[in-house]
């Protein structure tokens, strides 16, 4: 029996909610690159990471208490622990340090090799499919990210150090995402994000003394930037990320983050006075175009005119004794043929 049409609306609604969650995540993560550049002038990399994670854990813990989420199931803890150490902990320290050596656009460029690593690891470890549209979209977006990075990067040895740090951050980011995906099948997005953030904060506890020292001397704006990083790009964005990741593949979600460099360019222009050139703008446009391609789905071809509709000419024809119409030449190879046309069954089975 064919599926009835009322099933479709919930699927579309779930897809719309997941897409909306991904948009929120991308927008807030783009703003994080700019906020890190601003707060990094007053806070050391480890102190900034710890302060951000503590602020995020405080907000997430309060939400979990109100919702009575409880502890994640035992089967989810491995993925939560790995993502907490690598993504929430190591990634944030490395990224903060790297952004003190390079500009926001270059940091976004290097970190965004992460989606390529996610696709490779996802295919290897999670069995994620890699359809041609996804690969093509990632290639276009990466070309755009390269254009953005080349147009905004600076020279000198310090930039080399920054690129290496951002590269290490990208590797930690990719491994954390792939580890997090199975955990989201056993625990809620809020649970995975909350306890991953707590684990990351524990990893960064050695920087507690530096955080106290920096906070005493930091201007209020830098401290507010740090709190913003904890509440929005961490607590909110990581939760919406988890919600979307639980409903799609890691590879497709990773490709979505290629919109970040384009948004970083815009925000750096607005808030850091880093005026983009034509190459930068063109690279940002390529990033967005690649995301659109990677998120698109091939259109379904209309069924050929002679293709029988499943269930339409089975019972009634047999009951009335009327032989069904012969299968036309336009029927797809391998399609089941009516009983009256059984003479050609050998050819269909071979197809």
């Amino acid at each position: 029996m064919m599926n009835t049409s009322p099933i479709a609306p919930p699927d579309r609604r779930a897809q719309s909610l997941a897409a909306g969650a991904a948009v929120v995540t991308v927008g807030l993560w783009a703003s994080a690159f700019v906020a890190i550049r601003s707060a990094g002038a007053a806070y050391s990399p480890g102190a900034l990471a710890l302060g951000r994670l503590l602020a995020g854990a405080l907000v997430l813990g309060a939400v979990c208490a109100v919702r009575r989420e409880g502890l994640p199931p035992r089967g989810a803890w491995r993925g939560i622990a790995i993502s907490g150490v690598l993504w929430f902990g190591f990634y944030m320290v490395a990224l903060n340090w790297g952004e003190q050596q390079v500009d926001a656009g270059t940091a976004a460029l290097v970190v965004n090799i992460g989606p390529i690593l996610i696709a490779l690891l996802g295919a290897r470890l999670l069995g994620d499919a890699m359809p041609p549209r996804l690969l093509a979209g990632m290639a276009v977006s990466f070309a755009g990210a390269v254009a953005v990075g080349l147009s905004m990067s600076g020279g000198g040895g310090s930039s080399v150090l920054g690129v290496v740090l951002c590269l290490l951050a990208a590797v930690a980011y990719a491994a954390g995402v792939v580890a997090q995906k199975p955990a989201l099948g056993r625990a809620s997005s809020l649970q995975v994000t909350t306890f991953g953030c707590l684990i990351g904060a524990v990893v960064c506890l050695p920087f507690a003394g530096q955080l106290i020292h920096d906070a005493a001397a930091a201007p209020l704006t830098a401290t507010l930037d740090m709190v913003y990083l904890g509440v929005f790009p961490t607590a909110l964005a990581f939760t919406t990320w988890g919600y979307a990741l639980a409903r799609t593949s890691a590879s497709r979600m990773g490709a979505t983050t290629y919109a970040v460099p384009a948004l970083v360019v815009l925000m750096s222009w607005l808030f850091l006075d880093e005026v983009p050139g034509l190459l930068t703008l063109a690279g940002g446009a390529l990033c967005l175009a690649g995301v659109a391609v990677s998120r698109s789905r091939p259109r379904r071809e209309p069924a050929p005119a002679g293709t029988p509709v499943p269930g339409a000419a089975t019972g009634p024809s047999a009951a009335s004794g009327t032989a069904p119409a012969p299968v036309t030449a336009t029927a797809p190879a391998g399609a089941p043929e009516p009983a009256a046309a059984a003479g050609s069954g050998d050819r269909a089975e071979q197809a």
Side-chain angles (χ1 to χ4, degrees):
M1 181 179 295
M2 296 179 63
N3 292 334
T4 55
S5 59
I7 297 178
D11 292 340
R12 288 198 297 268
R13 182 174 182 273
Q15 291 174 2
S16 298
L17 289 174
V23 169
V24 171
T25 299
V26 167
L28 290 176
W29 282 356
S31 72
F33 283 92
V34 179
I36 289 170
R37 288 270 288 169
S38 178
Y43 286 91
S44 63
L48 179 57
L50 177 59
R52 172 181 179 176
L53 290 169
L54 289 176
L58 182 62
V59 172
L60 289 166
V63 175
C64 278
V66 171
R67 293 175 55 88
R68 299 181 180 180
E69 286 281 330
L71 294 175
R74 185 169 61 179
W77 275 105
R78 180 182 178 183
I80 293 174
I82 294 174
S83 65
V85 171
L86 293 179
W87 196 5
F88 288 86
F90 182 84
Y91 165 83
M92 291 192 181
V93 175
L95 180 63
N96 294 345
W97 191 3
E99 280 219 48
Q100 291 185 354
Q101 308 297 319
V102 298
D103 55 71
T106 303
L109 158 67
V110 180
V111 169
N112 269 279
I113 71 164
I116 298 175
L117 300 177
I118 290 173
L120 296 175
L121 291 174
R124 175 70 176 174
L125 302 177
L126 304 178
D128 285 353
M130 298 181 68
R133 283 175 179 261
L134 175 61
L135 296 176
M138 292 179 69
V140 172
S141 290
F142 187 71
V146 169
V148 170
L150 290 176
S151 64
M152 298 181 67
S153 62
S158 61
S159 292
V160 173
L161 174 62
V163 168
V164 171
L165 289 168
C166 291
L167 179 61
L168 292 174
V171 174
Y173 155 54
V177 170
V178 174
Q180 189 186 65
K181 173 66 175 177
L184 290 166
R186 299 176 173 87
S188 70
S189 173
L190 183 58
Q191 287 175 320
V192 171
T193 303
T194 300
F195 289 94
C197 187
L198 284 171
I199 291 172
V202 171
V203 170
C204 293
L205 278 179
F207 301 106
Q210 189 66 46
L211 174 61
I212 295 173
H213 175 270
D214 291 348
L220 178 61
T221 54
T223 301
L224 291 177
D225 282 331
M226 182 176 66
V227 173
Y228 169 83
L229 286 167
V231 175
F232 293 99
T234 303
L236 177 56
F238 274 83
T239 302
T240 53
W241 163 271
Y243 178 88
L245 179 61
R247 289 156 178 80
T248 187
S249 68
S251 302
R252 191 174 293 274
M253 277 301 295
T256 303
T257 62
Y258 271 125
V260 170
L263 297 178
V264 168
V265 168
L266 177 62
M267 293 180 181
S268 298
W269 187 7
L270 294 176
F271 301 109
L272 301 180
D273 293 328
E274 296 179 357
V275 180
L278 292 178
L279 180 59
T280 306
L281 295 176
L286 279 177
C287 289
L288 297 177
V291 171
V293 172
S294 65
R295 298 288 299 187
S296 66
R297 298 180 184 276
R299 293 185 299 176
R300 294 180 179 178
E301 296 294 335
T307 304
V309 178
T314 52
S317 298
S320 63
T322 303
V327 179
T328 65
T330 56
E337 299 184 1
S344 60
D346 294 338
R347 179 178 56 82
E349 291 176 1
Q350 293 172 0

